[in-house]
Amino acid sequence: MRTDTGHVFKLEDYRPSDYLILETSLVFRLSPEATRVTATLTIERRDGVVASAPLVLDGDGLTLIRVAIDGRELQPADFLATPDQLTISQAPAAPRFQLLIETEVAPAGNETLMGLYRSSSVYCTQCEAEGFRRITYFLDRPDILSVYTVRIEAKLDEAPLLLSNGNPAGSGDLADGWHYAVWHDPFPKPSYLFALVAGALGKVADSFVTLSGRTVELGIYVEPGKEWLAGYAMDALKRSMKWDEEAFGREYDLDVFNIVAVSDFNMGAMENKGLNIFNDKYVLADEETATDADFANIEAIIAHEYFHNWTGNRITCRDWFQLCLKEGLTVFRDHEFSADQRSRAVKRIAEVRTLRAHQFPEDQGPLAHPVRPRRYREINNFYTATVYEKGSEVVRMIRTILGAEAFRAGMDLYFERHDGEAATIEDFLKVFEDVSGRDLSQFALWYHQAGTPNLTVSSTHNPAAREFTLEIEQSVPPTPSESRKRLMHIPLAFGLVGADGRPVAYDGVEGATVEDGVIHIRKRRQVVRFSGVAERPAVSLNRGFSAPITLSVEQKADDQFFLAGHDSDSFSRWQAFNTLLTDALIAAFRQILGGKEPVYTARLSELAGKIAADEALEPAYRALALALPGEADIARDIGKGIDPDAILTAREALALAIAKANGQAFSSLYDRLADKGPFSPDAASAGRRALRNILLDYLALLPEGTELAARHFRSATNMTDRAAALTVLAHRHRGSPEAAKALADFEAKYGSDALVMDKWFQIQAGVPGPQTVETVRTLTKHAGFSMANPNRVRSLVGTFSSANQTGFHRPDGEGYRFFAETVLEVEKRNPQVAARLATALRSWRSLEPVRQAKAREALLTIAGAENLSADLRDIVERTLA
Ligand SMILES: [Zn+2]
């Protein structure tokens, strides 16, 4: 485990390295306890660097066996080797030389899941961000691009399959039951994209013919016997390859593309060149074991990792500060892919909900950082919603500002200009300036400045002058180490909606640049006057969520209700209804605490009924609209003095009111939506199931609701319906015999399927109320649970701490105590997963005072533990700062 050195890495300290590694030849002789790695590196001194300048290579916990230069063994006096560094103080005077390094590593005992490790007896690697240095000493930084040749030797019976990056370049038998395979990757790549897999795995094979007519062999490797669960992933891969050719003109480059699914994995998946390694959760699926959400995730993540081949691999990052260059851009690309494969409107709403649930709290709390950070202590902690999701929103805004055509031209130029390079955000922005002639310097603040901008908007209509005016004021709240903010360029899409629901025409506009339905906000205060407007329109703002901002709009409730029923922009229509629901919930929350704000329960219930019955709307869209804002969403909008119990009470009361007002209609719609015919994971079928399951959630609150949910559970023919019913029983009817029976039946049926059992853990960890901490504590002793497996930890402990508001934030602090103990226990094995878990307390300062004090105690307990890893110390100290 790497303990904290306290070192802070700064963007402004970036320097190119003195040496390049042109070629990397690796030989692995695999053995669980003692794998030998022989690296032969062709090293070149960079122009202008003095001859014999010291060569310093990165390591992490390495054992050096020997080191040689140009065939000559180095003597101990010639170098200094520690587990974390290899220094050759006097490198050869020749501009180019060969350095041979032999190290020994123990994959079997590697529970960090970084570097070379074993997952269910399969050897595999994870090198992003700095895992390669756990395999051999190297210039382990993304701007060192090298051509790799990898030879893997292993016992044939232990590892019949030997994979690495690139194309196969030979294989054969060796003495004593060993064999070998050689892989060559002609595309220079940084070390974080290196991968190796060796073991006994089943294969699903297919092929794809590219745009230019080349045939690419495709392989998905899974645990033997599970091949039939990889069909959907393969289909998603082929659709991704085709889409990237059509949407971005990007063709795949190698002869083979392989995906391997492993069960112990820190992240979702990894885009290693030609050899993606996946968390098996994002590969394996059929209707019996996976929900519609799982299918959608598999499709999106397969696409995401594949798209990295161009945005990340062919053009990589100069340094880790530029992480968003590959991640934000690739998330944008996978969002577009899913929007094209499914419903664009539904997809956009889902994206925004995710952004608000994960990125907004980050941006508004102690862990806030710019999309391109300027400093870090531990880069593993910057794989954040800000880098990924807000990073994607920034790319989307570039397209909004430039228009689709110029955006595509900019992307084409980016690929042409920077292919084979390690690039920066400045390089990326420059291509769009070059193709459009626009100045994006103010816009670039989206990359450099943290915090969620807010726009305060009010409107007036002057019928005599036929003038409609919007007064818009921007502010960016302070964030850690950035107390003063500069003004941003915010593309605000809008619509003026007339009483008939149609767009209101205007003659002219003053006070801001308005193009294609977008107001360009650049100043602190802008007064935008629309002339020739006879009647007061309702104003629909931030249509399509054109900018990742918060809005404070002075708007009459009647206008909101009107937009929720009539806005032609489907996102804004959803938004209007969601805002009304949120406002009602916040008002109810305040009433519980003694306030007197009006709650439009009857009007909202009526509108919910209309939306549910509106056949002109897709079922998936109706399902999203009917889903009440989550408890965390409500807490975020309240901002301060959070009492999760009061929020739960308010939310359950509104749900019951909507259910009571619409019982008959919801019930008959529920019956009509029952699945007929064979299962299909397509978006339309998934949408019908989603609508039916949200209706169940409401109907379960009415008399005989328990029986309805139990029947839904028993008669379910797919995991989507089964898991939905189990959630309703366990959450809405917590403690009932029906809930207990369903949980027991589920466990009896799926006890041996770890991925399905994750849902069982997750559902129980999410049960609202004070007793859940005890349940979760007990479940950590369950035979199917393991602190060493990230999926199990995330399902149980992660769900409890980040998605169970009332359980986790129990007023006596028991949830926090359990959390602190568990984080420290996970950390002993896997600091990266522990640090990710620990972010669950990032919004602790918004809690009411009693809980706030208890939460702080738990954070101090973690901070006070001995030998804390760099990963965890960084998160905890920033959270407490
Ligand atoms: Zn990615």
Side-chain angles (χ1 to χ4, degrees), residues 271 304 308 327 388:
E271 72 263 22
H304 178 96
H308 267 313
E327 293 306 342
Y388 280 68

Side-chain angles (χ1 to χ4, degrees), residues 29-33 35 107 118 120-123 153-162 177-179 198-201:
R29 195 163 170 89
L30 293 172
S31 145
E33 309 299 335
T35 290
R118 295 192 98 196
S120 312
S121 72
V122 174
Y123 293 91
E153 300 178 1
K155 282 188 184 146
L156 180 61
D157 59 351
E158 190 183 83
L161 174 77
L162 306 173
W178 285 62
H179 74 141
L201 290 162

Side-chain angles (χ1 to χ4, degrees), residues 764-785:
Q764 294 183 80
V767 174
Q771 74 296 334
T772 302
V773 61
E774 273 87 28
T775 313
V776 172
R777 209 186 269 282
T778 308
L779 286 173
T780 59
K781 309 283 185 294
H782 190 277
F785 183 80

Side-chain angles (χ1 to χ4, degrees), residues 670-724:
Y670 170 87
D671 290 340
R672 284 207 304 281
L673 285 163
D675 252 346
K676 295 172 195 82
F679 177 90
S680 164
D682 69 89
S685 312
R688 280 193 299 276
R689 283 186 287 272
L691 180 55
R692 187 162 186 260
N693 285 327
I694 190 92
L695 294 170
L696 171 69
D697 195 36
Y698 282 108
L699 292 167
L701 299 169
L702 299 175
E704 288 161 55
T706 326
E707 180 39 38
L708 177 69
R711 200 162 58 235
H712 192 109
F713 179 78
R714 285 193 305 271
S715 63
T717 55
N718 57 70
M719 184 50 74
T720 305
D721 290 339
R722 196 172 290 119

Side-chain angles (χ1 to χ4, degrees), residues 465-491:
R466 296 165 55 91
E467 190 175 75
F468 182 71
T469 306
L470 288 174
E471 282 192 46
I472 306 172
E473 212 169 304
Q474 72 158 295
S475 60
V476 187
T479 51
S481 77
E482 285 179 10
S483 51
R484 294 191 52 188
K485 300 286 187 179
R486 287 185 282 164
L487 295 167
M488 319 264 299
H489 174 190
I490 300 170

Side-chain angles (χ1 to χ4, degrees), residues 785-804:
F785 183 80
S786 160
M787 285 287 180
N789 179 282
N791 286 353
R792 303 300 94 75
V793 171
R794 284 188 283 253
S795 299
L796 187 63
V797 188
T799 301
F800 174 68
S801 56
S802 63
N804 186 339

Side-chain angles (χ1 to χ4, degrees), residues 609-784:
K610 276 193 187 149
I611 291 172
D614 189 343
E615 299 285 341
L617 298 169
E618 297 170 79
Y621 182 93
R622 287 184 264 164
L624 278 174
L626 292 173
L628 293 184
E631 292 153 54
D633 298 317
I634 304 163
R636 190 185 60 244
D637 284 350
I638 293 170
K640 282 252 168 284
I642 301 306
D643 174 348
D645 293 328
I647 291 176
L648 178 67
T649 307
R651 192 172 183 273
E652 292 196 329
L654 182 59
L656 181 61
I658 292 175
K660 278 183 173 165
N662 296 288
Q664 273 302 328
F666 280 8
S667 179
S668 58
L669 181 56
Y670 170 87
D671 290 340
R672 284 207 304 281
L673 285 163
D675 252 346
K676 295 172 195 82
F679 177 90
S680 164
D682 69 89
S685 312
R688 280 193 299 276
R689 283 186 287 272
L691 180 55
R692 187 162 186 260
N693 285 327
I694 190 92
L695 294 170
L696 171 69
D697 195 36
Y698 282 108
L699 292 167
L701 299 169
L702 299 175
E704 288 161 55
T706 326
E707 180 39 38
L708 177 69
R711 200 162 58 235
H712 192 109
F713 179 78
R714 285 193 305 271
S715 63
T717 55
N718 57 70
M719 184 50 74
T720 305
D721 290 339
R722 196 172 290 119
L726 186 62
T727 306
V728 169
L729 284 168
H731 291 200
R732 299 289 197 196
H733 300 284
R734 39 192 182 271
S736 69
E738 288 85 352
K741 179 169 183 339
L743 283 167
D745 289 352
F746 192 97
E747 185 188 10
K749 189 164 181 183
Y750 299 106
S752 59
D753 187 327
L755 288 179
V756 180
M757 283 301 279
D758 282 345
K759 300 182 197 308
W760 187 79
F761 286 123
Q762 202 175 341
I763 288 168
Q764 294 183 80
V767 174
Q771 74 296 334
T772 302
V773 61
E774 273 87 28
T775 313
V776 172
R777 209 186 269 282
T778 308
L779 286 173
T780 59
K781 309 283 185 294
H782 190 277

